[in-house]
Amino acid sequence: MSQFLNASDAARRLGISTKALRLYEERGLLAPIRSNAGWRAYRPEDLERASEIVALRALGFSLAQVARILKGDASGLEPALAAHQASLEGRLRELVEAIDGVRALRGDLAHGGAPTTSDLARMLVLKPGLHVAFALPWPWGGETFELRDIRPLTYITGPLGSGKTRLAMRIAEQIGGVFLALDRAADPSLQLKIEATVGLLVQDGATDTAALRALLCALEASQPVVVDLIEQGLDRATQEALIAHLRRRTPGVPPLFVMTRSSSILDLDALGPDETVLFCPANHAPPFRVAPYPGAPGYEALASCLATPEVRARSEGVIAVRR
C-alpha cells in the first residue's frame, strides 16, 4: 500500500482540501479505493485524474463542465477558453505597462535623473485599482475600513449577525454601485439581452428560474453591483454554473461584490487571483481579507460559516437579532 496516499496526504500534494476530494468523489469524478479499515486510498492514477480536475477548476470550469470535459464532450469549451484568454491578455497588458514604466525609470537614471519614492512605489503594483475607505457603520465602533486594489470579484461573508449586510450596503454607497437586495425581480427590458447567458448556464446544469434571471439582469448594470446573498432561490447546480460564469466575465467589467454563505458559491479550493474574500467576524472586529489557504488568519472561521446549499436551505429565513 506504499504507493497509495490517504486523503490528507493526497489533498496536501494537490494543494486542495480533503473536502474538495470528497466532493469530486460525490460527483463521480474520482473513485478512490478503500483500505481494509474503510479509509479512502488514492492511487497514482487517482492523483493524476484529480490534478486534471484541479487544473480545469483553475480555468473557471464548473464541476458539471469538468465532468463533460473528462468524458470527451467539448461543448461549452469555447466561451470558457475565450474568457480565460481575455483574462490572460489583460494581465499581459498590465505587465507590458509595468515593464514600460521600469524602462522609463532606467532611462531617467541613465541621464542623471533620480526617480521619486512615489515612482518606485508604483512599480510594486501592476495596476492600481479602485479602492475605498470609510468609517464602519453599526455594529462596529466607527473604525476606519479600507479596501485597496478591488478585484473583479469580491465575496463578503460571515456568520449571522456579523454585520456583513451593512458592510455590503456601505461599500455599494461608497463606490457608486447598485445594492441588489433579496426582493429582486427581472427587468423585462433586459430579458432578450440575457437569453444567451441563460442558455449557457442551463447547458451547464442550471435551472432557468425567476431568481436566476433577476440576478443576470442586475449584472447588466454599467456600474459596480453588490448582491445580497447571491445564492437566494438557486439550487446547487445553478449556483455552481453561475459562479463559474461570473469567474469568466470579460476583463474590464465593473467589480462585483457578492454576499454569500454557500460553499458552492464561495469554493475556497477554486478561488483565483482576481477574487477576494472579506470576512466579518462574529465578535464585530473590523472586517478583513482572508487568504484561501489553511492556516491563514481567519481561514478556519471562514470555512466554518460556509455550508452546502442543502444545509443553507434549512436555515433560510433565519434572522439574527441583536438586542
Side-chain angles (χ1 to χ4, degrees), residues 56-319:
L56 291 170
R57 294 286 279 153
L59 287 172
F61 291 108
S62 69
L63 287 175
Q65 288 174 314
V66 169
R68 290 202 301 269
I69 293 169
L70 292 176
K71 292 177 181 177
D73 182 355
S75 60
L77 272 176
E78 170 52 32
L81 291 177
H84 187 63
Q85 177 181 334
S87 176
L88 292 174
E89 290 173 345
R91 294 178 198 171
L92 178 60
R93 285 192 293 271
E94 293 178 5
L95 283 171
V96 169
E97 291 174 6
I99 292 171
D100 287 343
V102 173
R103 183 180 292 117
L105 291 180
R106 292 183 66 191
D108 292 342
L109 281 173
H111 291 88
T116 65
T117 304
S118 60
D119 289 334
L120 294 173
R122 280 196 295 271
M123 292 298 99
L124 297 177
V125 181
L126 293 180
K127 185 179 180 182
L130 176 68
H131 69 274
V132 292
F134 54 85
L136 287 167
W138 183 92
W140 295 281
E143 301 99 325
T144 298
F145 173 78
E146 188 171 11
L147 182 60
R148 291 187 171 274
D149 187 23
I150 294 176
R151 310 282 175 81
L153 182 57
T154 300
Y155 304 89
I156 302 174
T157 190
L160 288 171
S162 61
K164 55 187 179 295
T165 303
R166 288 184 173 84
L167 174 66
M169 295 175 71
R170 183 60 62 87
I171 288 175
E173 174 187 315
Q174 292 294 316
I175 63 177
V178 175
F179 180 76
L180 187 62
L182 294 179
D183 55 342
R184 43 204 181 224
D187 184 342
S189 66
L190 295 174
Q191 290 289 350
L192 287 177
K193 193 171 183 179
I194 66 171
E195 282 301 328
T197 302
V198 171
L200 288 173
L201 292 177
V202 169
Q203 181 185 11
D204 195 22
T207 304
D208 185 355
T209 61
L212 177 62
R213 287 179 173 268
L215 273 173
L216 295 178
C217 286
L219 296 180
E220 292 294 326
S222 58
Q223 64 261 57
V225 178
V226 183
V227 185
D228 189 1
L229 287 184
I230 192 171
E231 64 265 23
Q232 185 82 358
L234 307 180
D235 59 27
R236 178 190 282 212
T238 304
Q239 291 181 35
E240 292 175 353
L242 175 67
I243 198 62
H245 165 72
L246 295 180
R247 287 193 172 105
R248 299 193 300 265
R249 292 191 306 156
T250 305
V253 297
L256 173 65
F257 292 78
V258 299
M259 277 178 50
T260 185
R261 292 188 65 207
S262 169
S263 58
S264 289
I265 293 293
L266 178 46
D267 183 346
L268 297 175
D269 293 304
L271 291 181
D274 292 330
E275 300 167 72
T276 297
V277 180
L278 289 180
F279 181 68
C280 298
N283 63 359
H284 296 149
F288 61 95
R289 289 192 184 194
V290 177
Y293 309 111
Y299 179 89
E300 284 71 22
L302 167 63
S304 69
C305 78
L306 299 174
T308 64
E310 293 79 12
V311 172
R312 289 283 298 118
R314 295 201 294 269
S315 62
E316 188 172 336
V318 175
I319 300 174

